[in-house]
Amino acid sequence: MKSFPNPLTPSEEKYYIQRYTEGDLNAKHILIERNLRLVAHIAKKYQYLDEEPEDLISVGTIGLIKAVVTFNSDKGNRLAAYASKCIDNEILMYLRTRKKTCKEVSLYEPIGTDREGNEIKLYDIIETEEDDVPERIHLKENIQKLYEKVENELSQREKLVLKMRYGLYNGEEYTQREIAAQLGISRSYVSRIEKSAVEKLRNFF
């Protein structure tokens, strides 16, 4: 964790929170950067899982950003305590989604052979309307592909905006105006980020 900056003291944290509430975006960035060590510490709890530490830190950072933009100092809590819950929740939501995706079986996966030695796939034995099967398969594969491309092809800011905008990973959906307010940027900038991210993903479909 030596690569992460030292955490803020209580007085520093109070100062930068006040500056951020007054509209200082640089203060927001400082609050995020100086709490990255906390993200790494929480991500370390999940090191026994078959996940890349960098991925967990990346996901945890999204939780940290959400914590900074939604923190209410009037409740008397330290930002670190509130952020810990947000970071942990974001990582757990990511892991649940990954687990669910990993358990999904491809409909083209061979599951055996018939009496004549022909290969049988799950697709062949689904009991549903014949016209619906190709459409369901196509939709399912596109959804899996979409999540893969979101994680691998988009920047952190693009991922965050899309996740909030469309409720990805079972999250809550927000309007562009709501996202702009939470992230401390203009609605038009949110729109540009969303459009750029969607265009990147569209190229893969």
Side-chain angles (χ1 to χ4, degrees):
M1 296 185 193
K2 292 182 180 180
S3 60
F4 296 106
N6 292 325
L8 296 168
T9 64
S11 59
E12 287 175 330
E13 180 182 289
K14 185 177 180 181
Y15 170 76
Y16 285 112
I17 289 174
Q18 180 61 35
R19 291 292 301 272
Y20 177 41
T21 58
E22 294 172 354
D24 186 345
L25 292 184
N26 185 55
K28 171 191 171 184
H29 297 149
I30 291 174
L31 288 168
I32 294 170
E33 291 170 3
R34 297 290 289 274
N35 279 285
L36 288 174
R37 184 183 292 258
L38 176 63
V39 175
H41 176 73
I42 294 174
K44 195 174 181 181
K45 293 195 309 181
Y46 302 96
Q47 63 183 357
Y48 63 90
L49 299 175
D50 188 23
E51 298 288 342
E52 291 293 332
E54 292 80 4
D55 291 343
L56 294 178
I57 290 175
S58 177
V59 172
T61 301
I62 294 174
L64 172 61
I65 294 171
K66 289 181 179 179
V68 170
V69 300
T70 60
F71 179 65
N72 184 358
S73 59
D74 294 337
K75 294 185 178 180
N77 296 326
R78 285 287 307 274
L79 172 61
Y82 176 70
S84 294
K85 295 179 181 178
C86 294
I87 295 165
D88 213 27
N89 287 341
E90 197 72 25
I91 292 176
L92 286 172
M93 186 167 63
Y94 166 77
L95 292 175
R96 283 196 296 268
T97 303
R98 290 270 293 173
K99 185 177 181 182
K100 182 179 179 181
T101 303
C102 290
K103 284 184 175 180
E104 290 182 353
V105 179
S106 170
L107 296 182
Y108 293 106
E109 189 75 24
I111 59 173
T113 56
D114 60 19
R115 292 180 179 179
E116 299 177 354
N118 299 314
E119 192 175 69
I120 301 175
K121 299 180 177 64
L122 188 57
Y123 170 89
D124 299 318
I125 61 172
I126 291 180
E127 295 181 359
T128 185
E129 293 296 327
E130 186 175 342
D131 292 341
D132 292 339
V133 174
E135 185 176 344
R136 287 189 178 187
I137 294 171
H138 185 63
L139 176 61
K140 182 176 180 180
E141 292 182 342
N142 273 345
I143 290 174
Q144 288 180 285
K145 185 178 180 181
L146 172 64
Y147 276 100
E148 290 174 3
K149 297 305 178 184
V150 166
E151 291 299 328
N152 298 328
E153 305 295 338
L154 302 184
S155 67
Q156 287 300 320
R157 175 155 285 191
E158 287 172 334
K159 281 195 283 188
L160 178 58
V161 167
L162 281 197
K163 286 176 182 179
M164 296 177 73
R165 186 78 175 90
Y166 299 102
L168 303 183
Y169 300 100
N170 299 317
E172 186 176 349
E173 293 184 22
Y174 296 90
T175 64
Q176 289 182 347
R177 196 173 300 280
E178 289 171 333
I179 295 172
Q182 290 197 38
L183 300 185
I185 57 180
S186 68
R187 190 203 62 77
S188 60
Y189 188 31
V190 171
S191 179
R192 289 199 299 272
I193 294 172
E194 179 185 344
K195 184 177 180 181
S196 172
V198 170
E199 285 300 320
K200 284 184 182 179
L201 295 175
R202 185 174 290 153
N203 292 331
F204 296 102
F205 293 88

